[in-house]
Amino acid sequence: MKLLHLHALPADMQLPPTAITIGNFDGVHLGHQAMLHTLKQRAQADGLKTLVMLFEPQPLEFFKGSDAPPRITSSREKIELLRAQGIDYVLIARFDQAFRSLTARQFADLLKFQLNGKALVLGDDFRFGCDRAGDSDFLRAYGFPIDNLETVLVHGERVSSTRIRNCLAQAVHRFFLQNGFNWISTPMMKTLVAIAAILYVLTALYPIVYD
C-alpha cells in the first residue's frame, strides 16, 4: 500500500486509473469494511487500483476544534487497518480553509484529473464541496460510474462511528457507576473513551484466537 498526501503530490505525477472511496473511516468498522469490499470488487472488475481518500484533520475537528468528538482510531491506526484491508493507495487530504472552499465542480475535477478516478464507491449520505453542495447525483451527472452502498445494519441499527463512540462512552460510564463513581467530568470521559478506543483498535488489528 502506498500512502500519499494530496498537498505534496508532484504536478507531473500520474496515478494509475483508480476506483475511489472517500470519508473519515474512523474505526474502519463493519460499514467501512463493506464499502472497501465493494471498492475492491469494482476495481477488480474494471482493472483499476483502489484508493481511499481521508481527511486530516477530520472535518468536524476543523469546524469544532476541541469540541469535536474523540476519534476511535488515530491516523496511524486507521492507515494500518486500511493496509490490512488490502487497499492500494491511501491519500490524505489536508482539510483546511482552502480545501473546504472547493466547489463541487472543483472537487470532481480533482478526483478525475489529479487522482485519475474512473469509478467511485460512496455512502448513501455522501456530501462534498463548499457548503456540502455536491452529492452522488452531481458526480453521476459529471460522468463518474458510482456504486452507492446502502446503510449497514446490525440488530436493526445503523453501523456508524458515532454509534460505536456512543457505545464506548456508555460502557465506560456504566463501568464507573457500577464501581461507585457517581460523576465523571467531560474531559475525563473523553480520556476514558479514548482508552476504550485503543482497546477497540487492538482487537481489530490483533484479534484473539480461541482454541
Side-chain angles (χ1 to χ4, degrees), residues 4 9 12-13 18 35 50 61 78 148 152 165 174 185 189 203:
L4 307 172
L9 289 182
D12 60 349
M13 182 176 181
T18 57
M35 184 89 69
T50 53
E61 293 169 345
K78 190 186 306 183
N148 278 120
V152 174
R165 199 177 293 114
R174 185 165 55 249
S185 69
M189 176 59 79
T203 57

Side-chain angles (χ1 to χ4, degrees), residues 167-177 184 189 192-193 196:
C167 287
L168 289 171
Q170 290 167 13
V172 169
H173 192 255
R174 185 165 55 249
F175 172 83
F176 274 80
L177 287 179
I184 306 174
M189 176 59 79
L192 293 170
V193 170

Side-chain angles (χ1 to χ4, degrees), residues 17-31:
T18 57
I20 301 172
T21 190
I22 305 160
N24 291 322
F25 286 85
D26 190 18
V28 194
H29 55 61
L30 291 176

Side-chain angles (χ1 to χ4, degrees), residues 34-197:
M35 184 89 69
L36 298 173
H37 178 70
T38 302
L39 182 73
K40 289 185 287 186
Q41 285 185 319
R42 165 61 72 174
Q44 185 175 24
D46 294 355
L48 307 172
K49 295 294 185 181
T50 53
L51 186 148
V52 176
M53 175 188 276
L54 305 175
F55 305 112
E56 191 63 42
Q58 294 180 166
L60 275 180
E61 293 169 345
F62 174 80
F63 290 112
K64 293 191 173 183
S66 61
D67 290 330
R71 294 190 183 199
I72 301 170
T73 46
S74 68
S75 293
R76 179 175 295 181
E77 291 163 342
K78 190 186 306 183
I79 289 165
E80 288 306 311
L81 289 168
L82 290 170
R83 188 192 307 276
Q85 290 289 322
I87 298 304
D88 296 310
Y89 295 93
V90 170
L91 178 127
I92 297 177
R94 181 189 292 162
F95 197 93
D96 54 15
Q97 186 60 41
F99 188 85
R100 63 91 51 188
S101 298
L102 292 176
T103 66
R105 176 75 189 202
Q106 287 171 325
F107 188 82
D109 287 345
L110 183 158
L111 298 177
K112 180 177 181 179
F113 298 112
Q114 261 191 288
L115 305 185
N116 203 11
K118 303 299 181 184
L120 303 177
V121 177
L122 304 172
D124 53 7
D125 59 350
F126 179 72
R127 309 285 301 191
F128 66 95
C130 184
D131 298 324
R132 295 167 56 85
D135 57 13
S136 293
D137 288 338
F138 177 92
L139 290 168
R140 206 171 271 114
Y142 182 93
F144 282 114
I146 294 178
D147 293 311
N148 278 120
L149 192 74
E150 294 185 4
T151 296
V152 174
L153 302 177
V154 172
H155 303 306
E157 294 192 55
R158 182 176 185 265
V159 177
S160 69
S161 299
T162 299
R163 185 185 172 207
I164 292 170
R165 199 177 293 114
N166 289 341
C167 287
L168 289 171
Q170 290 167 13
V172 169
H173 192 255
R174 185 165 55 249
F175 172 83
F176 274 80
L177 287 179
Q178 290 171 349
N179 287 274
F181 293 85
N182 295 318
W183 178 80
I184 306 174
S185 69
T186 298
M188 184 184 295
M189 176 59 79
K190 284 188 175 182
T191 300
L192 293 170
V193 170
I195 293 171

